Amino acid sequence: MSVPASTPRAAGTAQTIALAALLLGACSIAFAPIFVRLSETGPTASAFWRTALAVPFLWAWAIATPRAEGDRANPLATPMLLAGLFFAGDLAVWHYSILFTSVANSTLLANLAPIFVTVGAWLLFGQRVTRTFLTGMAIAMAGAFVLVGPSFGLGERQLLGDALGVVTAMFYGAYMLTVKHLREARSTARIMAVSTTVCAVALLPLALVSGETMLPATGAGWLTLLGLALVCQTAGQSLIAYAMAHLPASFSSVSLLLQPAMATLYAWAILGERAGVAQLAGGAVILAGIWLARKGS
């Protein structure tokens, strides 16, 4: 006899798959600052191409996916628009942050989102958190600070980049809460297709008026942007959006603290940014905090 979908065993399996998707998504989007550093276009232009090049793939996926009940509603309803606009703000500010500070710092500060997500989930959804979860979140965030502590500086340029990273976290927290709300009735494919399209439309005029280089000069430059679109946006953000339907918003945001650990590893391997004992210790503490937060969710 098959096990009904509503049984604890089936629910546990769904959560395990969602957790795997969430962690894989975090590893995928951790490549974003590497692609941005290697990009031949300006920061806002890179953010535009990240979404614009992903749009055809996401719409092909959405068209091929059976519609959920909520997908029959207006695709440009306010929450869908907000998801795209919040993500546009997240990308535009974050890509500038990467240029002013280190990959590790910009990625960490952008992932302070758990603070904003936890408060928002409590205020908007009545989602209560346990002391165990809060302890795990605090440990994971402490590990993230240990991870990037040696690279913090006091120069004005770096401080500007760090401040932009905090603003990024606010936008990303709002985006995650919106996606969590949308996933109650809409499919991952439809959310990603519509929100990414809205994001690209919002970023285009910003990129044009910025005076940045809009087009890469070489084939390698286009491949960099395609990697940003497929690895980070199409795969990474879609995996995270899928997981949001099965996991608490607050826990999902804490688990994404894996991203700065992976970004630091990628930056060391690809860009030659130094990673020492403190970075390795910080990564281990992050994983311990995520494990504890999972037990308390």
Side-chain angles (χ1 to χ4, degrees):
M1 176 181 289
S2 61
V3 180
S6 58
T7 63
R9 179 183 298 178
T13 300
Q15 286 197 339
T16 299
I17 294 173
L19 178 59
L22 183 69
L23 298 179
L24 182 58
C27 292
S28 298
I29 63 176
F31 277 106
I34 311 301
F35 284 126
V36 173
R37 278 286 185 88
L38 298 175
S39 175
E40 297 175 1
T41 64
T44 312
S46 297
F48 164 72
W49 287 115
R50 167 178 173 163
T51 51
L53 293 176
V55 164
F57 298 96
L58 291 170
W59 274 109
W61 178 31
I63 292 170
T65 302
R67 289 190 174 191
E69 186 63 32
D71 290 340
R72 304 182 187 281
N74 179 8
L76 293 180
T78 299
M80 286 289 235
L81 288 174
L82 287 176
L85 293 176
F86 285 143
F87 198 66
D90 166 60
L91 290 183
V93 177
W94 186 39
H95 283 206
Y96 268 105
S97 172
I98 293 167
L99 296 184
F100 288 110
T101 188
S102 69
V103 165
N105 282 27
S106 64
T107 306
L108 163 69
L109 294 168
N111 280 275
L112 291 180
I115 297 174
F116 304 106
V117 171
T118 300
V119 174
W122 171 57
L123 293 175
L124 298 175
F125 307 139
Q127 189 176 98
R128 293 181 294 177
V129 293
T130 65
R131 290 183 179 179
T132 302
F133 170 82
L134 291 175
T135 302
M137 182 177 74
I139 290 174
M141 296 189 72
F145 275 101
V146 171
L147 180 77
V148 302
S151 64
F152 271 103
L154 297 177
E156 290 185 6
R157 181 180 176 86
Q158 185 147 350
L159 286 175
L160 173 60
D162 293 345
L164 291 175
V166 176
V167 175
T168 300
M170 296 178 184
F171 276 116
Y172 196 51
Y175 167 75
M176 291 190 72
L177 288 170
T178 306
V179 169
K180 174 65 176 177
H181 170 69
L182 289 169
R183 283 293 282 124
E184 293 177 358
R186 299 187 186 238
S187 65
T188 302
R190 183 67 52 163
I191 292 170
M192 289 302 303
V194 175
S195 64
T196 302
T197 301
V198 171
C199 185
V201 170
L203 287 171
L204 179 58
L206 294 178
L208 291 175
V209 301
S210 70
E212 300 170 3
T213 301
M214 279 296 296
L215 300 175
T218 66
W222 281 109
L223 286 176
T224 298
L225 294 176
L226 188 61
L228 189 61
L230 295 182
V231 176
C232 304
Q233 187 65 22
T234 305
Q237 291 296 339
S238 295
L239 285 166
I240 293 168
Y242 165 79
M244 293 291 283
H246 305 280
L247 299 170
S250 52
F251 171 72
S252 298
S253 63
V254 171
S255 297
L256 291 180
L257 284 170
L258 178 64
Q259 185 188 349
M262 297 307 299
T264 300
L265 176 62
Y266 300 155
W268 168 72
I270 300 171
L271 302 179
E273 289 192 4
R274 183 180 300 178
V277 175
Q279 282 82 359
L280 296 175
V285 174
I286 288 172
L287 294 177
I290 291 173
W291 175 80
L292 188 59
R294 179 74 180 100
K295 288 180 66 68
S297 293

